[in-house]
Amino acid sequence: MNTRTHLLLYLFITSLSCFTLKAQAKKESHEKIRTYKIAYLTEKLNLTENEAQKFWPIYNKFDKKRRELYREERFEIRKKIKDQGGLENLSEKDSEVILTQIQLISQQKYEVKKAFHYKVSKILSFKKILLLQMSEHEFNRKLIKKLKGEKNKKRS
C-alpha cells in the first residue's frame, strides 16, 4: 500500500470510529434519560414493592411500543416525503397514502395506550394511572426545558 492508500484508510477508520462513538454516546444519553424517567415516575407514583414488580414490565413494554410508533411516524413518514422530493412534489395519491399511514399510526397509539391502561388498572388505582399520565407529561416538559437551556448555553 502506498501513502495515499494508508491516509485514506486512516481517514475512513477515524470517521467510522467517530460515528460509532457518537452513536454510542447518543444511546447512552437515551438510556440515562430513561433511567431518570423511571426514578421520577417511581417517586411520583409512590409504588409499593408489589405494585412496582408488576407495573414496570408492563410499562416498559408499552413504552417501547410507543417509541417504535413515534419513530415510525416521525422518521419513516418524513423519509417518504423527502424521497418524493418534498411536500410540494407529492402527488395527490402519495399524499393520501401518507395521511392514511399517519391515521393508522394514531389508531395504533390509541390502541396501545388503551391496552396499557386496561392491564395496569389491574395493578394500580385509576387515580395512580391518572397521576402517571400527568407525571409523564411533567417529566417531558422538564426534560425539554432542560435541553433547551443546554442548547442555549452552547450558543452563548
Side-chain angles (χ1 to χ4, degrees):
M1 279 194 219
N2 62 28
T3 306
R4 186 174 180 192
T5 306
H6 282 288
L7 181 60
L8 288 173
L9 184 60
Y10 173 76
L11 290 173
F12 174 74
I13 290 171
T14 304
S15 298
L16 187 61
S17 296
C18 288
F19 176 76
T20 303
L21 288 174
K22 195 173 186 177
Q24 184 178 354
K26 190 174 183 177
K27 184 177 180 181
E28 287 173 4
S29 177
H30 286 288
E31 288 302 318
K32 192 175 183 181
I33 290 169
R34 264 191 229 106
T35 301
Y36 284 133
K37 184 178 181 180
I38 288 169
Y40 185 84
L41 293 177
T42 298
E43 180 184 328
K44 287 289 186 177
L45 294 176
N46 195 26
L47 299 174
T48 66
E49 190 175 325
N50 187 40
E51 287 174 332
Q53 283 179 337
K54 293 175 183 174
F55 170 76
W56 285 113
I58 295 170
Y59 182 84
N60 290 335
K61 187 176 179 182
F62 159 71
D63 195 47
K64 181 180 178 185
K65 183 62 179 173
R66 182 171 53 178
R67 282 181 282 134
E68 289 169 0
L69 290 169
Y70 172 78
R71 273 190 218 102
E72 181 180 350
E73 183 177 45
R74 178 142 179 150
F75 299 112
E76 290 181 27
I77 290 174
R78 280 189 179 176
K79 185 179 181 330
K80 282 183 180 182
I81 293 170
K82 186 178 177 184
D83 289 348
Q84 296 292 327
L87 194 58
E88 57 281 346
N89 293 323
L90 285 178
S91 69
E92 195 62 23
K93 183 65 179 163
D94 290 336
S95 298
E96 180 184 13
V97 168
I98 289 171
L99 281 172
T100 300
Q101 186 178 6
I102 291 170
Q103 290 169 347
L104 288 172
I105 292 170
S106 293
Q107 182 66 31
Q108 286 176 308
K109 285 181 189 176
Y110 171 77
E111 293 298 330
V112 165
K113 194 169 197 172
K114 183 178 171 183
F116 169 72
H117 283 164
Y118 175 76
K119 288 177 186 174
V120 85
S121 71
K122 297 181 182 315
I123 302 163
L124 303 178
S125 68
F126 289 109
K127 190 173 183 176
K128 276 193 178 181
I129 296 169
L130 184 57
L131 180 59
L132 168 66
Q133 283 193 293
M134 294 172 71
S135 298
E136 282 181 312
H137 184 71
E138 186 177 306
F139 177 84
N140 291 335
R141 269 196 351 257
K142 286 181 177 189
L143 178 63
I144 290 169
K145 187 176 180 180
K146 181 175 172 40
L147 292 173
K148 280 184 179 179
E150 289 176 3
K151 191 175 184 179
N152 289 336
K153 282 182 185 178
K154 287 181 182 178
R155 288 183 182 170
S156 301

